[in-house]
Amino acid sequence: MCKITINGNPLSVQDNATILEAAAMANMRIPTLCYLEGLQPMGACRVCIVEVEGSATLPASCSTPVREGMVIHTNSKRVREARKTVVELLLSEHEGDCRLCERSEDCELRKLADELGIRKNRYEGEKPSSATDTSSVALVRDNAKCIKCRRCVQVCAQIQHVGVLAPQFRGYRTTIGPAFSDPLSSVACVQCGQCAAVCPVGAIVEHSHIDEVLSALENPHKHVVVQTAPAIRAALGECFGLAPGTLVTGKMTTALKLLGFDAVFDTDFAADLTIMEEGTELLTRLMAAHQTGDRSKLPQFTSCSPGWINYAEHYFPDTLDKISTCKSPQQMFGALAKTYYAQKVGIDPAKMVVVSIMPCTAKKYEAARPEMRSSGFQDVDYVLTTRELGDLIKMSGIDFTALEDSPMDAPLGISTGAADIFANTGGVMEAALRTVHAVTTGRPIGMEDLHIAVLAGLEGIKTASVTLSGTIGVWKFLEGKEVKVAVAHGLGNAAALIGHIRDNPDEFQFVEIMTCPGGCIGGGGQPRFTTDEVRRARIAAIYREDEGKQLRQSHENPAVQQLYAEFLGSPLGEKSHHLLHTTYEQHERVKSH
Amino acid sequence: MTQYAHAEHKNSAGSCHETGVQDVIPIIDDIIGRYRGTRGALIPVLQSAQNLLGYLPKEVLIHISDQLDIPYSEVAGVVTFYSFFTTVPRGKHTVRVCLGTACYVRGGKEVLDAISKELRIEVEQTTEDRLFSLEIGRCFGACGLAPVVMIDETVFQRVKPSRIRALLDPYRIGPDQEADHETN
């Protein structure tokens, strides 16, 4: 421990703490811009400078460790003036029209300028020319707004191990972006949008589909249906000032009906269906391995997270054979909406528009993949992020917090609690194990509240094992067998887990990968700002949603059972193969044209 | 420039254009092998690759990125940061005019203008016959000799704008005589 003084208050703090951390412990807030919790501080923005007695310069508090006897001032005249100048200089190079910027409400730079009382431009700097990169399906970058804080660089390289963004060129000409400032579409961006989630200004945002959705809703000849991913209901409230983790399932449904959607459905329905297909696929692979000894398709990897699929196709082609061939719930839903549902209600699928509400930017890319047209049309037409839905609701003058609850429509709005937990890291695995256990033994999994506790929470890589006993019928070959599973979230953790599996190929039978830290609840399209505290609150809300449902196991979903009876036949059947499964292919990391 | 630029795999100026990218990949792999596990390997590897080829083509950068397990964006970040590196083929000879403070005040800019006029190219361009590329340097550490010009690895001191043609002419002679010139 070391004794320091901050703003006249004596404090005892841990030796390796930074000044920023020490001040936070004493409830003294130092403003930051480039700082991200859990990552190596960069000291790039200089906003967090403080005065240390005896030091000639003003050190950045995020990257300066405390020393015994340090006397620190976080808000002296010298600090305030210097900090103000730092922000003024950032503003002088920031080319953006705040009146029209989509981040005007939650821009960290604008907020900081306001807090520091900056009311005029003292420095009229040369502004970078606006060069908007719209080449990516999911993301739009505007370098003129970029303040070069490098949060996106850190997240992309350190959390996601993708590293397609880095500072290019030098001095005044520095830009943040792909190699040689080439378009984002020319490199192996996985479209996860974590860069957009951490950008303090409006330099990286999702490619908006709001206008397209509005014009579909206003077209009387279109039948517009909407599906909502499980993670939305635990986060959408944040767009309207509700606390993170406030469940707004019913209000969201009412809002979507008010917006004019002809039917409000649930991606949860397709998540239950995914468990039927993916669980059967796992059991089929285990049986094949038992009968032939061929383990080449094990461990089976989940396929729900489109950023992970992009990552595997670009960076880990040796896993492609092991990834479940199941489409993600979003795409299963789209394929069924324009076939099964269209037939059921007698609507020409050519006149149907499927809109998804997703916590995710990569879902925009996934919906646009050329192979995702098994209904004969683009299965999912438009994807809105949680943030975009929040904007759309505000745009329409709906008083969200005052709305009454309403239920989702049948049949594609019916779901079990197992589907809800797809939103959380570990959730797809838990949902799958609930059904796999029940199918192979005839009994529900014997865990408290059906939760596999070791798979919950924010630890980067988690493992569990379930021993199957009392197996029935064709599954007796699994009697006494231990099913070992692993879960990783954040692609850096995924890469580490895959490295481990390469060295230990027989250790696990089933592996869940989610692209974003925390799973979909921490997706790149969720309301800003997603800290670990926010992640925990959303995760807890999702488990509450699950526990509140009468049916908690996917195979019990009556609408899914009806779908198989009326339309699909059986899991992995011919129709499933055509509508619900897909293929993957290796892509080069840098386009070599 | 650091020591590596001179130390590693300097091709003779006469043959660098003829070296194909595929020919140098094994040599680059060999160099990478020696730096494996060392922090800060990227810059010396890039220098060696550029010395072999005269420039850094995209496929070589992608190869280096893969082999060193450093994101391509970061490799490009280093290449675009340092003016020493180039991704376009250079002329047979690189003329670098120092515009560091000492050279600048002693007429470096006039020397640059004269060379630019003589070669009829701007800075960072290459003559049509691919014989010369023109670049600016930022101090070669020979301030006492200012203004200074470097042609390939040779430093010329107290260069006068009027002497430019005489300076460049020896590099314009045919390839059969060149060997003699280079041993000077």
Side-chain angles (χ1 to χ4, degrees):
Chain A
M1 298 297 276
C2 84
K3 288 187 170 55
I4 59 167
T5 308
I6 301 187
N7 299 345
N9 300 304
L11 279 178
S12 192
V13 294
Q14 279 192 330
D15 287 335
N16 53 1
T18 62
I19 296 175
L20 183 68
E21 288 161 348
M25 282 178 238
N27 294 322
M28 271 170 277
R29 197 178 73 84
I30 298 174
T32 58
L33 209 49
C34 68
Y35 177 78
L36 282 177
E37 65 174 347
L39 292 177
Q40 186 75 26
M42 286 173 295
C45 74
R46 316 309 292 177
V47 165
C48 71
I49 48 173
V50 293
E51 189 172 357
V52 174
E53 286 186 14
S55 166
T57 56
L58 302 174
S61 60
C62 67
S63 54
T64 308
V66 294
R67 275 193 326 271
E68 181 63 34
M70 222 179 213
V71 180
I72 300 154
H73 303 279
T74 68
N75 193 32
S76 63
K77 182 166 182 281
R78 191 178 163 211
V79 168
R80 272 202 317 277
E81 283 175 356
R83 189 176 286 150
K84 195 168 169 179
T85 304
V86 165
V87 176
E88 285 174 304
L89 288 170
L90 285 172
L91 286 169
S92 79
E93 280 189 35
H94 172 71
E95 177 67 297
D97 186 340
C98 296
R99 296 168 300 179
L100 305 175
C101 180
E102 69 169 273
R103 291 299 301 275
S104 58
E105 253 187 73
D106 65 346
C107 173
E108 293 179 48
L109 181 63
R110 187 177 143 121
K111 186 164 162 258
L112 202 52
D114 184 50
E115 277 177 13
L116 294 169
I118 298 170
R119 293 284 169 260
K120 60 175 188 245
N121 277 336
R122 274 202 296 159
Y123 310 110
E124 198 51 72
E126 192 186 331
K127 308 268 188 196
S129 54
S130 182
T132 309
D133 178 1
T134 55
S135 69
S136 159
V137 175
L139 297 161
V140 178
R141 296 174 58 253
D142 183 354
N143 261 330
K145 291 179 182 170
C146 175
I147 54 167
K148 300 168 186 71
C149 71
R150 307 186 188 195
R151 276 188 189 170
C152 58
V153 175
Q154 281 213 308
V155 161
C156 191
Q158 292 184 34
I159 303 286
Q160 299 298 54
H161 284 218
V162 170
V164 293
L165 301 174
Q168 306 294 315
F169 303 100
R170 167 182 196 164
Y172 186 75
R173 288 176 62 220
T174 305
T175 59
I176 306 296
F180 301 105
S181 299
D182 283 347
L184 199 52
S185 62
S186 70
V187 295
C189 166
V190 301
Q191 320 261 338
C192 71
Q194 285 298 311
C195 53
V198 298
C199 182
V201 294
I204 313 182
V205 295
E206 61 269 58
H207 194 126
S208 174
H209 289 178
I210 288 180
D211 289 345
E212 290 83 347
V213 170
L214 276 174
S215 64
L217 288 170
E218 281 153 12
N219 185 339
H221 305 297
K222 296 285 187 191
H223 183 82
V224 189
V225 304
V226 64
Q227 57 168 325
T228 60
I232 314 299
R233 59 209 68 186
L236 180 64
E238 292 165 44
C239 297
F240 304 95
L242 299 175
T246 308
L247 283 168
V248 294
T249 322
K251 288 186 197 304
M252 172 182 73
T253 308
T254 308
L256 291 166
K257 287 179 177 172
L258 287 172
L259 283 168
F261 286 100
D262 294 298
V264 179
F265 291 141
D266 205 338
T267 314
D268 275 19
F269 168 84
D272 279 330
L273 181 62
T274 300
I275 290 299
M276 296 304 294
E277 293 288 326
E278 197 165 342
T280 309
E281 188 181 22
L282 174 68
L283 288 170
T284 308
R285 289 185 187 191
L286 289 173
M287 191 180 266
H290 174 72
Q291 286 168 348
T292 67
D294 175 17
R295 287 187 47 92
S296 63
K297 292 196 165 189
L298 292 173
Q300 176 172 302
F301 285 80
T302 57
S303 57
C304 309
S305 181
W308 149 239
I309 297 299
N310 292 339
Y311 191 54
E313 287 186 324
H314 286 95
Y315 296 86
F316 291 98
D318 59 327
T319 60
L320 294 179
D321 277 348
K322 299 175 192 292
I323 298 177
S324 162
T325 61
C326 287
K327 287 180 184 171
S328 74
Q330 159 172 279
Q331 294 306 136
M332 286 196 184
F333 180 94
L336 287 173
K338 290 193 179 179
T339 54
Y340 172 66
Y341 170 72
Q343 284 170 29
K344 234 177 152 55
V345 291
I347 286 170
D348 177 3
K351 291 182 176 159
M352 187 181 286
V353 176
V354 175
V355 176
S356 304
I357 314 296
M358 293 285 143
C360 181
T361 51
K363 288 282 175 195
K364 289 177 187 269
Y365 176 87
E366 183 186 54
R369 288 178 80 119
E371 62 270 29
M372 295 298 174
R373 303 174 64 90
S374 46
S375 64
F377 305 89
Q378 182 166 325
D379 295 332
V380 173
D381 295 279
Y382 307 115
V383 178
L384 299 178
T385 62
T386 317
R387 294 189 293 260
E388 284 177 276
L389 176 60
D391 290 344
L392 186 57
I393 292 170
K394 286 176 193 166
M395 199 180 281
S396 310
I398 295 168
D399 184 357
F400 185 80
T401 53
L403 293 177
E404 299 288 329
D405 289 355
S406 56
M408 299 219 190
D409 295 318
L412 306 187
I414 295 169
S415 65
T416 74
D420 288 306
I421 59 174
F422 266 57
N424 292 349
T425 167
V428 173
M429 183 59 73
E430 180 172 318
L433 289 178
R434 285 182 193 172
T435 285
V436 163
H437 192 278
V439 166
T440 55
T441 67
R443 290 173 286 110
I445 201 162
M447 310 245 182
E448 194 184 342
D449 253 349
L450 296 180
H451 292 317
I452 301 167
V454 288
L455 296 182
L458 289 178
E459 202 183 316
I461 297 174
K462 296 165 284 190
T463 62
S465 80
V466 176
T467 304
L468 298 171
S469 65
T471 49
I472 53 172
V474 294
W475 309 115
K476 281 189 172 151
F477 75 93
L478 290 167
E479 184 60 33
K481 291 251 165 67
E482 197 183 20
V483 177
K484 284 195 79 180
V485 302
V487 167
H489 57 116
L491 294 175
N493 291 321
L497 178 58
I498 292 167
H500 175 84
I501 290 170
R502 276 180 181 160
D503 296 337
N504 304 275
D506 297 336
E507 186 172 347
F508 300 109
Q509 283 82 51
F510 197 19
V511 177
E512 175 203 287
I513 308 281
M514 291 196 192
T515 305
C516 294
C520 308
I521 52 90
Q526 291 282 57
R528 298 180 183 91
F529 197 92
T530 302
T531 60
D532 277 352
E533 192 184 336
V534 171
R535 286 186 185 94
R536 284 192 196 93
R538 291 177 190 159
I539 285 172
I542 290 292
Y543 284 126
R544 285 201 305 279
E545 184 84 341
D546 164 35
E547 287 155 15
K549 291 250 172 96
Q550 253 178 341
L551 299 176
R552 308 271 312 279
Q553 303 180 94
S554 293
H555 56 283
E556 296 174 329
N557 183 328
V560 168
Q561 289 168 351
Q562 191 187 359
L563 168 71
Y564 278 112
E566 286 178 0
F567 186 72
L568 287 176
S570 61
L572 304 189
E574 197 194 321
K575 228 169 195 161
S576 289
H577 179 75
H578 172 62
L579 290 173
L580 310 181
H581 290 259
T582 187
T583 53
Y584 312 108
E585 60 180 44
Q586 182 175 359
H587 294 304
E588 55 186 355
R589 283 190 220 174
V590 185
K591 291 211 176 112
S592 51
H593 52 72
Chain B
M1 291 193 293
T2 72
Q3 54 179 330
Y4 299 108
H6 304 280
E8 294 270 6
H9 293 273
K10 178 62 193 164
N11 247 12
S12 77
S15 65
C16 69
H17 310 296
E18 286 75 34
T19 311
V21 169
Q22 287 312 315
D23 301 333
V24 302
I25 292 287
I27 307 172
I28 293 172
D29 285 344
D30 182 51
I31 298 163
I32 289 170
R34 275 187 275 141
Y35 282 106
R36 207 174 292 282
T38 319
R39 270 178 71 96
L42 179 59
I43 287 177
V45 169
L46 288 171
Q47 285 177 317
S48 301
Q50 181 162 307
N51 283 345
L52 287 163
L53 284 162
Y55 73 113
L56 293 166
K58 188 172 181 176
E59 56 186 302
V60 166
L61 294 178
I62 292 171
H63 183 79
I64 290 172
S65 154
D66 286 344
Q67 293 299 309
L68 286 177
D69 200 18
I70 295 173
Y72 180 58
S73 65
E74 206 178 312
V75 173
V78 169
V79 169
T80 55
F81 186 89
Y82 293 105
S83 61
F84 174 81
F85 294 122
T86 177
T87 55
V88 290
R90 276 190 175 144
K92 192 171 181 179
H93 303 290
T94 303
V95 181
R96 288 194 183 86
V97 181
C98 181
L99 288 186
T101 311
C103 289
Y104 193 92
V105 299
R106 298 199 49 181
K109 185 68 171 60
E110 286 72 30
V111 170
L112 176 67
D113 291 343
I115 295 177
S116 172
K117 203 172 152 199
E118 170 69 21
L119 296 177
R120 276 173 278 163
I121 52 171
E122 301 295 317
V123 170
E124 288 183 17
Q125 288 182 347
T126 298
T127 54
E128 243 171 56
D129 59 6
R130 301 257 316 256
L131 198 57
F132 292 105
S133 292
L134 180 56
E135 287 177 12
I136 292 173
R138 300 283 175 196
C139 195
F140 304 145
C143 305
L145 310 173
V148 163
V149 171
M150 258 178 101
I151 302 180
D152 301 330
E153 302 295 309
T154 313
V155 178
F156 296 89
Q157 52 172 305
R158 298 203 176 88
V159 179
K160 293 189 173 69
S162 58
R163 274 183 49 211
I164 292 305
R165 186 164 294 172
L167 190 74
L168 295 172
D169 273 346
Y171 292 90
R172 287 169 160 150
I173 53 179
D176 40 338
Q177 292 141 292
E178 198 172 345
D180 294 339
H181 167 74
E182 293 222 335
T183 53
N184 288 347

Coordinates of all heavy atoms in Angstrom, one line a residue, chain A residues 169-214:
Chain A
F169 N -0.2 6.2 -41.6 CA 0.5 7.4 -41.9 C 1.0 8.1 -40.6 O 1.0 7.5 -39.6 CB -0.3 8.3 -42.8 CG -0.7 7.6 -44.1 CD1 -2.0 7.1 -44.2 CD2 0.2 7.5 -45.1 CE1 -2.3 6.4 -45.4 CE2 -0.1 6.8 -46.3 CZ -1.4 6.2 -46.4
R170 N 1.3 9.4 -40.7 CA 2.0 10.0 -39.6 C 1.7 11.5 -39.5 O 1.4 12.1 -40.4 CB 3.5 9.8 -40.0 CG 4.5 10.6 -39.3 CD 5.8 10.3 -39.9 NE 6.8 10.7 -38.9 CZ 8.1 10.4 -39.0 NH1 8.5 9.5 -39.9 NH2 9.0 10.8 -38.1
G171 N 1.9 11.9 -38.2 CA 1.7 13.3 -37.9 C 0.3 13.8 -38.3 O -0.7 13.1 -38.0
Y172 N 0.2 14.9 -38.9 CA -1.1 15.5 -39.2 C -1.9 14.6 -40.1 O -3.1 14.5 -40.1 CB -1.0 16.9 -39.8 CG -2.3 17.5 -40.0 CD1 -3.0 18.0 -39.0 CD2 -2.9 17.5 -41.3 CE1 -4.3 18.6 -39.1 CE2 -4.2 18.1 -41.5 CZ -4.8 18.6 -40.4 OH -6.1 19.1 -40.5
R173 N -1.2 13.8 -41.0 CA -1.9 12.9 -41.9 C -2.4 11.6 -41.3 O -3.0 10.8 -42.0 CB -0.9 12.6 -43.1 CG -0.7 13.8 -44.0 CD 0.3 13.4 -45.1 NE -0.2 12.3 -46.0 CZ 0.6 11.3 -46.4 NH1 1.9 11.3 -46.0 NH2 0.1 10.4 -47.2
T174 N -2.1 11.4 -40.0 CA -2.5 10.2 -39.4 C -4.0 9.9 -39.5 O -4.8 10.8 -39.3 CB -2.2 10.2 -37.9 OG1 -0.8 10.5 -37.7 CG2 -2.5 8.8 -37.2
T175 N -4.4 8.7 -39.9 CA -5.8 8.3 -39.9 C -5.9 7.0 -39.2 O -4.9 6.2 -39.2 CB -6.4 8.1 -41.3 OG1 -5.6 7.1 -42.0 CG2 -6.4 9.4 -42.1
I176 N -7.0 6.7 -38.6 CA -7.2 5.4 -38.0 C -8.0 4.6 -39.0 O -9.1 5.1 -39.5 CB -8.0 5.5 -36.7 CG1 -7.3 6.5 -35.7 CG2 -8.2 4.1 -36.0 CD1 -6.0 6.1 -35.2
G177 N -7.6 3.4 -39.3 CA -8.3 2.6 -40.3 C -7.6 1.4 -40.7 O -6.6 1.0 -40.1
P178 N -8.1 0.7 -41.7 CA -7.5 -0.5 -42.3 C -6.1 -0.1 -42.9 O -5.9 1.1 -43.1 CB -8.5 -1.0 -43.3 CG -9.8 -0.3 -43.0 CD -9.4 1.0 -42.4
A179 N -5.4 -1.1 -43.2 CA -4.0 -0.9 -43.8 C -4.1 0.0 -45.0 O -5.0 -0.1 -45.9 CB -3.5 -2.3 -44.3
F180 N -3.2 1.0 -45.0 CA -3.1 2.0 -46.1 C -4.4 2.8 -46.3 O -4.6 3.3 -47.4 CB -2.7 1.3 -47.4 CG -1.3 0.6 -47.3 CD1 -1.3 -0.8 -47.3 CD2 -0.2 1.3 -47.2 CE1 -0.1 -1.4 -47.1 CE2 1.1 0.7 -47.1 CZ 1.1 -0.7 -47.1
S181 N -5.2 2.9 -45.2 CA -6.5 3.6 -45.3 C -7.4 3.0 -46.4 O -8.2 3.7 -47.0 CB -6.3 5.1 -45.5 OG -5.6 5.6 -44.4
D182 N -7.2 1.7 -46.8 CA -8.1 1.1 -47.7 C -9.5 1.0 -47.2 O -9.7 1.1 -46.0 CB -7.5 -0.3 -48.1 CG -6.4 -0.2 -49.1 OD1 -6.1 0.9 -49.6 OD2 -5.7 -1.2 -49.2
P183 N -10.5 0.7 -48.0 CA -11.8 0.5 -47.5 C -11.9 -0.7 -46.5 O -11.2 -1.7 -46.7 CB -12.7 0.3 -48.8 CG -11.8 0.6 -49.9 CD -10.4 0.6 -49.5
L184 N -12.9 -0.6 -45.6 CA -13.0 -1.6 -44.6 C -13.4 -3.0 -45.3 O -13.1 -4.0 -44.8 CB -14.1 -1.2 -43.6 CG -14.2 -1.9 -42.3 CD1 -12.9 -1.9 -41.6 CD2 -15.3 -1.2 -41.4
S185 N -14.1 -2.9 -46.4 CA -14.5 -4.1 -47.1 C -13.3 -4.9 -47.7 O -13.5 -6.0 -48.1 CB -15.5 -3.8 -48.2 OG -14.8 -3.0 -49.2
S186 N -12.1 -4.3 -47.7 CA -11.0 -4.9 -48.4 C -10.2 -5.8 -47.4 O -9.2 -6.4 -47.7 CB -10.0 -3.9 -49.0 OG -9.4 -3.2 -48.0
V187 N -10.6 -5.7 -46.1 CA -9.9 -6.5 -45.1 C -10.8 -7.4 -44.3 O -12.0 -7.3 -44.5 CB -9.1 -5.5 -44.1 CG1 -8.0 -4.8 -44.8 CG2 -10.1 -4.6 -43.4
A188 N -10.3 -8.2 -43.4 CA -11.1 -9.3 -42.8 C -11.7 -8.7 -41.5 O -11.6 -9.3 -40.4 CB -10.2 -10.5 -42.5
C189 N -12.5 -7.6 -41.7 CA -13.3 -7.1 -40.6 C -14.4 -8.2 -40.4 O -15.1 -8.6 -41.3 CB -13.9 -5.8 -40.9 SG -15.2 -5.2 -39.9
V190 N -14.7 -8.5 -39.1 CA -15.7 -9.5 -38.8 C -17.1 -8.9 -38.6 O -18.1 -9.6 -38.4 CB -15.4 -10.5 -37.7 CG1 -14.1 -11.2 -37.9 CG2 -15.3 -9.7 -36.3
Q191 N -17.1 -7.6 -38.7 CA -18.4 -6.8 -38.7 C -19.0 -6.8 -37.3 O -20.2 -6.5 -37.1 CB -19.4 -7.3 -39.7 CG -18.8 -7.7 -41.0 CD -19.0 -6.6 -42.1 OE1 -19.8 -5.7 -42.0 NE2 -18.1 -6.7 -43.1
C192 N -18.3 -7.1 -36.2 CA -18.9 -7.2 -34.9 C -19.3 -5.9 -34.3 O -20.2 -5.9 -33.4 CB -17.9 -7.9 -33.9 SG -16.5 -6.8 -33.5
G193 N -18.8 -4.8 -34.8 CA -19.2 -3.5 -34.3 C -18.8 -3.1 -32.9 O -19.3 -2.1 -32.4
Q194 N -17.8 -3.9 -32.4 CA -17.3 -3.4 -31.1 C -16.6 -2.1 -31.2 O -16.6 -1.3 -30.2 CB -16.4 -4.5 -30.5 CG -17.1 -5.7 -29.9 CD -18.0 -5.4 -28.8 OE1 -17.7 -4.7 -27.8 NE2 -19.3 -5.9 -28.9
C195 N -16.1 -1.8 -32.3 CA -15.5 -0.4 -32.6 C -16.5 0.6 -32.4 O -16.3 1.7 -31.8 CB -14.8 -0.4 -33.9 SG -15.8 -0.9 -35.3
A196 N -17.7 0.4 -33.0 CA -18.8 1.4 -33.0 C -19.3 1.5 -31.6 O -19.8 2.5 -31.2 CB -19.9 0.9 -33.9
A197 N -19.2 0.4 -30.8 CA -19.7 0.4 -29.4 C -18.9 1.3 -28.5 O -19.4 1.8 -27.5 CB -19.9 -1.0 -28.9
V198 N -17.6 1.4 -28.8 CA -16.7 2.1 -27.9 C -16.3 3.5 -28.5 O -15.7 4.3 -27.7 CB -15.4 1.3 -27.6 CG1 -15.7 0.0 -26.9 CG2 -14.6 1.1 -28.9
C199 N -16.6 3.8 -29.7 CA -16.2 5.1 -30.3 C -16.9 6.2 -29.5 O -18.1 6.2 -29.3 CB -16.7 5.2 -31.7 SG -16.2 6.7 -32.6
P200 N -16.1 7.2 -29.0 CA -16.6 8.2 -28.2 C -17.4 9.3 -29.0 O -18.2 10.0 -28.5 CB -15.4 8.9 -27.5 CG -14.3 8.6 -28.4 CD -14.6 7.3 -29.1
V201 N -17.1 9.3 -30.3 CA -17.8 10.3 -31.2 C -18.5 9.5 -32.3 O -18.8 8.3 -32.2 CB -16.8 11.3 -31.8 CG1 -16.2 12.1 -30.7 CG2 -15.7 10.5 -32.5
G202 N -18.9 10.2 -33.3 CA -19.7 9.6 -34.4 C -18.8 9.1 -35.6 O -19.3 9.0 -36.7
A203 N -17.6 8.6 -35.3 CA -16.7 8.2 -36.4 C -17.0 6.8 -36.9 O -16.6 6.5 -38.0 CB -15.2 8.4 -35.9
I204 N -17.5 6.0 -36.1 CA -17.9 4.6 -36.5 C -19.3 4.3 -36.0 O -19.6 4.3 -34.8 CB -17.0 3.5 -36.0 CG1 -15.5 3.9 -36.2 CG2 -17.3 2.2 -36.8 CD1 -14.6 2.8 -35.7
V205 N -20.2 4.1 -37.0 CA -21.6 3.8 -36.6 C -22.1 2.6 -37.5 O -21.4 2.3 -38.5 CB -22.5 5.0 -36.8 CG1 -22.2 6.1 -35.8 CG2 -22.5 5.5 -38.2
E206 N -23.2 2.1 -37.1 CA -23.8 1.0 -38.0 C -24.4 1.6 -39.2 O -24.8 2.8 -39.3 CB -24.9 0.2 -37.2 CG -26.1 1.0 -36.7 CD -25.9 1.5 -35.3 OE1 -24.9 2.3 -35.1 OE2 -26.7 1.2 -34.4
H207 N -24.4 0.8 -40.3 CA -25.1 1.2 -41.5 C -26.6 1.1 -41.3 O -27.1 0.0 -41.1 CB -24.6 0.1 -42.6 CG -24.9 0.6 -44.0 ND1 -24.0 0.6 -44.9 CD2 -26.1 1.0 -44.5 CE1 -24.5 1.1 -46.1 NE2 -25.8 1.3 -45.8
S208 N -27.2 2.3 -41.3 CA -28.6 2.3 -40.8 C -29.6 1.7 -41.9 O -29.4 2.0 -43.1 CB -29.0 3.8 -40.6 OG -30.4 3.9 -40.3
H209 N -30.6 1.0 -41.4 CA -31.6 0.5 -42.2 C -33.0 1.2 -41.9 O -34.0 0.7 -42.3 CB -31.8 -1.0 -42.1 CG -30.7 -1.8 -42.7 ND1 -30.6 -3.2 -42.7 CD2 -29.6 -1.4 -43.4 CE1 -29.5 -3.6 -43.3 NE2 -28.9 -2.5 -43.8
I210 N -32.9 2.3 -41.1 CA -34.2 2.9 -40.6 C -35.1 3.4 -41.8 O -36.3 3.1 -41.8 CB -33.9 4.0 -39.6 CG1 -33.3 3.5 -38.3 CG2 -35.1 4.9 -39.4 CD1 -33.0 4.5 -37.3
D211 N -34.4 4.0 -42.7 CA -35.2 4.6 -43.8 C -35.9 3.4 -44.6 O -37.1 3.6 -45.0 CB -34.4 5.4 -44.8 CG -33.9 6.7 -44.2 OD1 -34.6 7.1 -43.1 OD2 -33.0 7.3 -44.7
E212 N -35.2 2.3 -44.9 CA -35.8 1.2 -45.6 C -37.0 0.6 -44.8 O -38.0 0.3 -45.4 CB -34.7 0.2 -45.9 CG -33.6 0.5 -46.9 CD -32.5 1.4 -46.3 OE1 -32.6 1.9 -45.1 OE2 -31.4 1.5 -46.9
V213 N -36.8 0.5 -43.5 CA -37.8 -0.1 -42.7 C -39.1 0.8 -42.7 O -40.2 0.4 -42.9 CB -37.4 -0.4 -41.3 CG1 -38.5 -0.7 -40.3 CG2 -36.3 -1.5 -41.3
L214 N -38.8 2.1 -42.6 CA -40.0 3.1 -42.6 C -40.7 3.0 -43.9 O -41.9 3.0 -43.9 CB -39.4 4.5 -42.4 CG -39.2 4.9 -40.9 CD1 -38.6 6.3 -40.8 CD2 -40.5 4.9 -40.1

